[in-house]
Amino acid sequence: MTRTGPWVSAAIVAAAVLLSGLLIAVTGGSPAAALRALVQGSLGDATAVSQTLLYAAPLLLVAAGTCCSARSGAFNIGQEGQVLVGALAGAAAGLRLAVPGPVLPLVVLAAAALAAGTWAWLSALMHRFRGVDIAVSTLLMTFLAQQAVAFAVTTPWLLQESRLGAAAALPQSNKLPPGALLGSLGDHPGLQLNLGLGVALVVTLLVAVALGRTRWGFRLTMAGLNPAAARHAGIPVTAVGGIALAVSGALAGMAGAVLLSSPLGTNRLQPDISINIGWDGLLVALIARNRPLLTIPVAGLFAVLRAGGSFLAATGVPPYLVDVVKALLTLAFVAPAVLRRQPVVA
Amino acid sequence: MSGLAADLATILSSGIRLTAPLAFAACGEYLAERAGTLNVSVEAMMLGAAFGSIAVAGLTGSATAGLLAGVLLGALVGLVHGALSHRWHVNTFVVGLVLNALVLGLTSYLVTVGELGRHQVAQVSVPVLRDLPVLGAPLFVERWPVYLLLALVPLTWWLVERSRWGLELRAAGENPEAADMTGIRVNLRRRQALLWCGALAGLGGAYLAVGEVGSFNQNMTAGRGYLVMAAVIFGGWRLGRTLAGCAVFGLADALRLALPALGYTVNSQLLVSAPYLLALLAMLLFTTRERRPGALGQPFRRTS
């Protein structure tokens, strides 16, 4: 971002918006109405803003974690699966563990982080011992995570919903008890935030400090930029990368627990609980070029698109438009950096 | 007995139909990876082609024109991928992921905008042979693009293993610096490989749409592109084994659909995850490093 002035960024966003508007116009919609719906649905009133912030929290967690792994040179693309594993472990902890009240949400969060961190670390192990490509293994393991969640919520002795006279309905778990969920920040009318956003912001700041100001962050970045030189300097490159990958997985797992607690969902484990937050969080980190503090505004932008996207349908524009916009934005931000020969992913 | 034979024929037949799109795309992915590109955008190539083939078939009224359009669209994705990653040096995973996201978004958007309708290419049934017991119907009654595999598989193999172009491709994938030294244009070869990959993956996606299904549904490839990547790894970067991997994945898919209907109870999550588990296991067990192209996934930039 160093040489990309704000003007370049603004021009890029404008180009993506123009292209999207063109797409709407060509397909017979009204770009102005769509833009109005996007803004109204994401920033229009307290409810809209709280929706946006609720989406921003898990996005931010995934993106902050991605900064760690990408900077270490481990290209994690399995965040979507790691979010799911986190949600799975979090739900299991929340439903099955008898822990006294106020500690339980923390246990849920920790279980999610631990499980997803271990899950991601498996890829690091496969890389370490068998030379398996990290990008490929994290990707393949996403599909396993999806099936693991589906298995858990359709298996009675695991997490399948227990109910009397059950007619087969949606595969899902029982509702988590309120005591297991991250607390709500007051009960203002229309505004329903929970502690998830606070957790996400604190974690992002911690990641920024850790990467920018600590020995660990320096070793990690060096291992990513030039593994040979780092190894020469005595840095255990493989181990450092493995831990960065585990941290990335753990933060994605925390995003899964946050989704579980979020008023966005049903407070149950469901196969689609991750709502593509893992994929989007990866795009957020790409746009922010793996700088943790930059992920905050970018995650905000993606959250605006998500919250506003659900209001597009009323204008006759298919909500999938926001997926196009997100991809165009990513492409637009990633390509020019490289044109000037800056490393995008270390 | 005849019941069992009929069941087998059903499973085999749906297995072949589910394998064919993977096999087309796997030929392309195999070639692209031998040239050194770990191509994640197969999914985009297949999905874009599936959409384009149905859309163009609707516009022209010809399913064959749709098939051709699918091939061209796949190649277009390959062209964009090649330009971004091997001309402008954007990280190839990033390009692949973003292209996947872009095509998924675009096709999901466009499919809700207009009516696409049903379009399907003709079925060919080979006389006499189709009457063979068990194997007859599965092998010799197919939508005609399937039979293109008979030409494209040997052609791909010959291109990679026997042609001069293939020698240069493999050199670009194995040791780009050395290849460059001998005057091979590494990044040009890689872009060409991605074009071939796009055309073949496009054929696979178009076959899925205008061949088997006859219509387009949102995200109809549903991760098949990732399975193709897994097949190449599973096959240890050899074409024959890669295609065998595709057949395993296709049969697993066919079993998942057929077993409940035939009254067997097998855990469906296990069957869905089987291909991915197998691919991971294959990567873990076999020393893939021997056959893995030396510079797979690594960009090449001349340092002069």
Side-chain angles (χ1 to χ4, degrees):
Chain A
M1 215 64 184
T2 42
R3 288 176 52 200
T4 311
W7 293 111
V8 178
S9 307
I12 286 169
V13 175
V17 168
L18 267 180
L19 262 176
S20 317
L22 201 66
L23 184 65
I24 299 174
V26 165
T27 51
S30 155
L35 188 62
R36 217 172 308 127
L38 263 181
V39 174
Q40 190 63 34
S42 57
L43 303 167
D45 54 31
T47 319
V49 172
S50 65
Q51 285 280 311
T52 301
L53 293 176
L54 285 173
Y55 280 119
L59 278 171
L60 201 52
L61 279 167
V62 173
T66 307
C67 292
C68 295
S69 56
R71 284 238 204 146
S72 80
F75 198 55
N76 181 11
I77 52 180
Q79 288 88 342
E80 183 72 7
Q82 291 146 16
V83 171
L84 282 168
V85 168
L88 173 62
L95 289 168
R96 292 292 170 83
L97 292 183
V99 183
V103 193
L104 191 51
L106 289 180
V107 172
V108 168
L109 212 55
L114 193 67
T118 312
W119 180 265
W121 189 56
L122 288 178
S123 288
L125 285 185
M126 286 190 260
H127 178 64
R128 163 79 181 78
F129 290 108
R130 306 296 308 180
V132 177
D133 202 280
I134 286 176
V136 176
S137 65
T138 49
L139 178 66
L140 292 181
M141 283 175 73
T142 296
F143 295 96
L144 299 186
Q146 286 169 347
Q147 296 311 312
V149 171
F151 181 69
V153 293
T154 52
T155 306
W157 51 270
L158 281 170
L159 291 173
Q160 191 186 37
E161 188 182 10
S162 54
R163 57 176 133 179
L164 299 169
L170 224 56
Q172 58 182 13
S173 76
N174 285 332
K175 220 179 172 90
L176 265 74
L181 305 175
L182 287 170
S184 158
L185 289 178
D187 218 3
H188 315 288
L191 194 69
Q192 24 161 228
L193 290 176
N194 69 358
L195 280 174
L197 185 65
V199 171
L201 282 172
V202 169
V203 164
T204 306
L205 293 179
L206 281 177
V207 166
V209 172
L211 286 180
R213 294 270 178 272
T214 66
R215 204 169 97 90
W216 179 74
F218 175 74
R219 284 152 60 101
L220 190 154
T221 310
M222 192 169 165
L225 282 177
N226 192 341
R231 210 169 274 124
H232 191 70
I235 296 173
V237 170
T238 323
V240 165
I243 289 172
L245 191 58
V247 168
S248 169
L251 296 195
M254 282 170 78
V258 165
L259 282 170
L260 206 56
S261 299
S262 174
L264 289 172
T266 55
N267 297 338
R268 299 167 189 272
L269 181 65
Q270 290 171 325
D272 59 351
I273 189 169
S274 54
I275 50 170
N276 286 339
I277 286 287
W279 296 116
D280 277 8
L282 171 59
L283 296 187
V284 168
L286 284 177
I287 291 184
R289 310 230 176 95
N290 304 323
R291 283 162 178 77
L293 291 181
L294 267 183
T295 62
I296 297 175
V298 180
L301 178 63
F302 270 52
V304 161
L305 287 171
R306 262 185 188 256
S310 48
F311 282 73
L312 276 180
T315 67
V317 173
Y320 299 109
L321 179 77
V322 298
D323 297 325
V324 181
V325 175
K326 285 185 288 199
L328 284 176
L329 277 177
T330 315
L331 202 57
F333 272 104
V334 166
V338 182
L339 291 179
R340 288 190 318 276
R341 318 223 150 183
Q342 288 174 355
V344 166
V345 172
Chain B
M1 186 60 210
S2 69
L4 180 67
D7 289 353
L8 270 180
T10 310
I11 293 175
L12 191 61
S13 160
S14 94
I16 288 174
R17 277 162 204 184
L18 292 163
T19 301
L22 301 179
F24 282 117
C27 285
E29 180 73 8
Y30 157 79
L31 190 137
E33 291 203 12
R34 289 304 291 270
T37 310
L38 190 45
N39 174 29
V40 195
S41 72
V42 213
E43 181 74 10
M45 293 166 169
M46 293 180 81
L47 188 62
F51 174 83
S53 64
I54 293 287
V56 169
L59 287 174
T60 61
S62 153
T64 306
L67 195 77
L68 201 65
V71 173
L72 291 177
L73 266 174
L76 178 69
V77 175
L79 189 75
V80 174
H81 189 143
L84 283 170
S85 53
H86 298 309
R87 191 188 286 279
W88 294 323
H89 307 288
V90 186
N91 181 297
T92 186
F93 293 116
V94 174
V95 175
L97 287 174
V98 174
L99 284 177
N100 287 347
L102 184 63
V103 170
L104 179 59
L106 263 181
T107 53
S108 303
Y109 176 83
L110 290 173
V111 76
T112 51
V113 171
E115 201 60 49
L116 285 173
R118 287 191 58 83
H119 311 278
Q120 214 163 7
V121 296
Q123 199 161 44
V124 172
S125 87
V126 184
V128 186
L129 288 175
R130 65 173 175 237
D131 299 324
L132 285 174
V134 187
L135 290 178
L139 288 181
F140 300 109
V141 184
E142 294 290 346
R143 303 279 158 190
W144 65 262
V146 171
Y147 299 111
L148 289 177
L149 274 174
L150 295 177
L152 287 172
V153 170
L155 176 63
T156 303
W157 179 84
W158 180 83
L159 277 176
V160 173
E161 304 288 350
R162 288 289 179 271
S163 74
R164 172 166 182 97
W165 185 67
L167 185 69
E168 298 192 4
L169 277 188
R170 282 182 284 136
E174 203 60 56
N175 192 339
E177 285 77 18
D180 182 61
M181 221 95 78
T182 62
I184 295 170
R185 295 181 61 190
V186 170
N187 284 322
L188 178 69
R189 290 288 169 271
R190 288 182 170 179
R191 290 200 296 274
Q192 290 168 338
L194 276 172
L195 265 185
W196 176 260
C197 176
L200 280 186
L203 185 54
Y207 165 80
L208 194 67
V210 288
E212 281 315 320
V213 181
S215 59
F216 181 84
N217 313 307
Q218 189 209 333
N219 193 18
M220 76 182 296
T221 49
R224 281 186 172 80
Y226 301 123
L227 267 188
V228 166
M229 282 174 69
V232 176
I233 297 161
F234 189 85
W237 293 271
R238 271 164 277 201
L239 186 57
R241 292 186 187 201
T242 296
L243 294 174
C246 290
V248 170
F249 297 166
L251 274 177
D253 219 10
L255 281 177
R256 180 176 59 89
L257 299 173
L259 287 181
L262 299 176
Y264 300 93
T265 48
V266 179
N267 183 290
S268 95
Q269 283 87 34
L270 190 65
L271 278 173
V272 176
S273 39
Y276 304 104
L277 268 177
L278 282 172
L280 274 173
L281 278 179
M283 286 195 291
L284 280 174
L285 292 180
F286 307 125
T287 36
T288 51
R289 271 174 278 205
E290 268 174 40
R291 291 287 299 218
R292 190 178 200 274
L296 186 62
Q298 287 165 18
F300 172 72
R301 191 181 285 172
R302 280 183 113 148
T303 47
S304 53

